[in-house]
Amino acid sequence: MHDAWRNYENAPQEGAIICPSSAIPEGKARCVEVMSSNGSFPVIATRINGTIYCYVNACPHQYLPLNYRSDSIISSDGHRFLCSAHGAAFDIKTGDCLTGDCDKLDAIPVVEDLAGNLCIKHREP
């Protein structure tokens, strides 16, 4: 489902600020807790060749954060997120699970606002 991130009870509203765009490093993972009236929402983001990829920071197996046991969650080739709890691998650009039979990561659409913040994108009409 394209908007599966919205199904989380603690999902923030569209337009919520995740962090400054400049805080998303090239080739590194950035784990952030987005605070809203719904509570704390775990987000993971990275930048590859200038493009930001953003997902709910919850492995679909047990919904533990990908960085549950370690902050080293990007593969050495820079193309996969790795779950530190049990080793599942996910394509950074698509969120698809690459190891075994598991669901994909829930993508969060994002946009950079005029102030340089990474925000959850509003739904297209």
Side-chain angles (χ1 to χ4, degrees), residues 18-88:
I18 295 173
C19 66
S21 178
S22 61
I24 307 297
E26 181 73 34
K28 305 274 188 214
R30 171 78 192 241
C31 300
V32 179
E33 293 292 324
V34 176
M35 298 304 295
S36 75
S37 59
N38 296 331
S40 178
F41 188 69
V43 173
I44 187 166
T46 191
R47 184 185 307 264
I48 298 176
N49 298 325
T51 300
I52 295 176
Y53 298 90
C54 193
Y55 299 92
V56 177
N57 187 8
C59 180
H61 285 102
Q62 297 176 344
Y63 290 93
L64 294 171
L66 295 180
N67 62 327
Y68 180 72
R69 291 194 175 137
S70 171
D71 288 328
S72 297
I73 56 171
I74 292 192
S75 63
S76 59
D77 67 5
H79 297 288
R80 295 169 285 146
F81 281 127
L82 305 172
C83 176
S84 65
H86 69 285

